[in-house]
């Protein structure tokens, strides 16, 4: 991340041109001491001198100021990780103030705005005041709207639409979400099979495999988003609920989700437990919560997206993602969220007097 650094640029350009501070001062019409202070950043040139200085060195004013209105992917990734850690360890309002200052500074850097909005959404639960939480949600949504309306990056705009719709749903505005997403499911036309075929045709079989691995992995993640949601919708239909859970657990075993992506399996267990509570099947709910707790306290940290012996070409692709293989929340925040899924979840309030439930809570805390 670069800051304005006019002093360094002035010194560099002056030396390249082979002139002294006196000569530059005479040209601009200031004292040598002024030029010296500019170069050592004890002070800055008056704004009226900037066009003259830029013209003298044949550079733009942005170049003169070393101003970068955009951040690199690496900068954004590092910043996200840093701020995520701050959300876990520092006062919420102080971190939000810092986020807002960064947003203001890089307001034309759409990849950054997208990630800052996602950062806010992923830490929304830290704001306990409903009114301020709603305000923070609106703030994040405004960032997604800006990216959607003004970014020329198709992928970023598409992601912004998704996040804006998520904000609308969180705010209890389903019609707004439907308007953004469309009211029907369009047939999927996955590009991975064509990309893979193209690379294979070019005689690049490993590249072809890596494309398909990335496609399989992405669709697997999507599947494990769909299945718990569908299972919950079927909570009032015990047979459909049980069959959905059975298929979900089988798929989790086939793809080794416990190792590959434990967060999704954790979500399956909690959702299943909630469904069983709706069905008043306490024993089965407790069984799911016990599975949840055992996984939550197991050796799954630090959580990071990664490949395995089957997805052996995946890691390079993951590193190209906006956040790399990192999850969107700090480990401390993730651990607390997992504990809260059980301990402050109203769905499990009726279990408070159950010894098995109390043991689960002790495990988690």
């Amino acid at each position: 991340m670069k800051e304005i650094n006019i002093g360094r640029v002035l010194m560099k350009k002056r030396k390249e041109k082979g002139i002294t501070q006196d000569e530059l001062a005479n040209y601009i019409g200031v004292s040598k001491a002024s030029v010296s202070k500019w170069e050592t950043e004890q002070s800055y040139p008056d704004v009226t001198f900037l066009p003259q200085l830029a013209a003298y060195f044949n550079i733009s004013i942005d170049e003169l100021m070393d101003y970068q209105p955009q951040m690199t992917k690496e900068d954004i990734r590092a910043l996200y990780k840093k701020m995520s850690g701050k959300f876990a360890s520092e006062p919420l309002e102080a971190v939000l103030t810092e986020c807002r200052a960064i947003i203001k500074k890089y307001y034309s850097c759409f990849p950054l705005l997208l990630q800052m909005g996602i950062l806010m959404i992923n830490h929304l639960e830290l704001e306990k005041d409903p009114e301020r939480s709603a305000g923070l949600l609106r703030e994040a949504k405004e960032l997604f709207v800006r990216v959607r309306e003004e970014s020329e990056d198709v992928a970023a705009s598409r992601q912004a639409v998704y996040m804006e719709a998520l904000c609308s749903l969180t705010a209890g505005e389903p019609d707004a979400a439907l308007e953004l997403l469309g009211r029907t499911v369009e047939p999927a036309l996955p590009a991975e099979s064509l990309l893979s075929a193209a690379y294979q045709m070019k005689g690049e079989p490993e590249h072809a495999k890596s494309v398909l691995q990335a496609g399989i992995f992405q669709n697997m993640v999507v599947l494990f988003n769909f299945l718990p949601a569908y299972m919950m919708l079927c909570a009032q239909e015990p047979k459909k609920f049980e069959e959905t859970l059975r298929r979900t657990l089988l798929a989790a075993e086939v793809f080794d989700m416990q190792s590959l992506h434990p967060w999704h399996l954790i979500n399956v267990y909690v959702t299943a437990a909630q469904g069983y509570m709706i069905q008043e099947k306490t024993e089965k709910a407790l069984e799911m919560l016990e599975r949840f707790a055992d996984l939550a306290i197991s050796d799954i940290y630090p959580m990071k997206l990664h490949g395995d012996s089957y997805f052996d070409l995946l890691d390079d692709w993951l590193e190209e993602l906006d956040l790399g293989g990192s999850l969107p929340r700090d480990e401390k925040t993730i651990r607390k969220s997992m504990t809260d899924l059980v301990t402050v979840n109203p769905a499990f309030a009726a279990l408070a007097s159950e010894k098995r439930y109390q043991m689960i809570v002790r495990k988690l805390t």
Side-chain angles (χ1 to χ4, degrees), residues 313-360:
L313 301 173
L314 191 66
D315 287 339
D316 287 344
W317 175 79
L318 288 171
E319 280 306 308
E320 291 300 313
L321 300 179
D322 290 336
L323 298 181
S326 301
L327 295 188
R329 292 189 292 178
D330 179 85
E331 181 180 320
K332 183 178 178 181
T333 306
I334 291 173
R335 286 178 181 268
K336 185 179 185 305
S337 294
M338 286 197 290
T339 301
D340 289 349
L341 280 172
V342 173
T343 58
V344 298
N345 191 332
F348 306 128
L351 298 175
S353 60
E354 293 278 347
K355 287 186 178 180
R356 286 172 68 187
Y357 177 77
Q358 292 167 4
M359 288 180 64
I360 290 166

Side-chain angles (χ1 to χ4, degrees), residues 257 261-268 295 300 303 327 329 334 337-338 341:
M257 292 298 285
H261 210 322
W263 176 255
H264 280 295
L265 189 53
I266 280 168
N267 188 37
V268 169
L295 181 54
I300 58 175
M303 278 196 184
L327 295 188
R329 292 189 292 178
I334 291 173
S337 294
M338 286 197 290
L341 280 172

Side-chain angles (χ1 to χ4, degrees), residues 2 29 40 64 82 108 113 117 119 165 171 180 261 282 287 327 344 347 355:
K2 295 183 179 179
T40 55
L64 174 67
K82 171 187 169 185
S108 64
L113 297 189
L119 181 71
L180 284 162
H261 210 322
T282 302
E287 180 189 339
L327 295 188
V344 298
K355 287 186 178 180

Side-chain angles (χ1 to χ4, degrees), residues 135-207:
L136 184 56
L137 183 65
R138 287 192 297 272
E139 199 173 337
K141 185 176 181 179
E142 286 170 6
L143 295 177
F144 300 135
V145 171
R146 177 168 169 78
V147 175
R148 172 174 62 82
E149 291 181 345
E150 301 194 33
S151 175
E152 295 180 358
D153 184 324
V154 175
S157 297
R158 189 184 302 121
Q159 192 174 0
V161 168
Y162 175 87
M163 294 305 302
E164 186 183 345
L166 177 61
C167 289
S168 296
L169 285 175
T170 305
E173 301 167 354
D175 286 333
L178 288 170
E179 187 68 27
L180 284 162
L181 299 172
R183 294 175 180 268
T184 57
V185 179
E186 297 293 333
L189 298 172
E192 290 87 352
S193 56
L194 294 178
L195 279 171
S196 176
Y199 282 121
Q200 190 171 3
M201 195 177 294
K202 283 170 58 68
E204 301 178 28
E206 288 302 296
H207 207 155

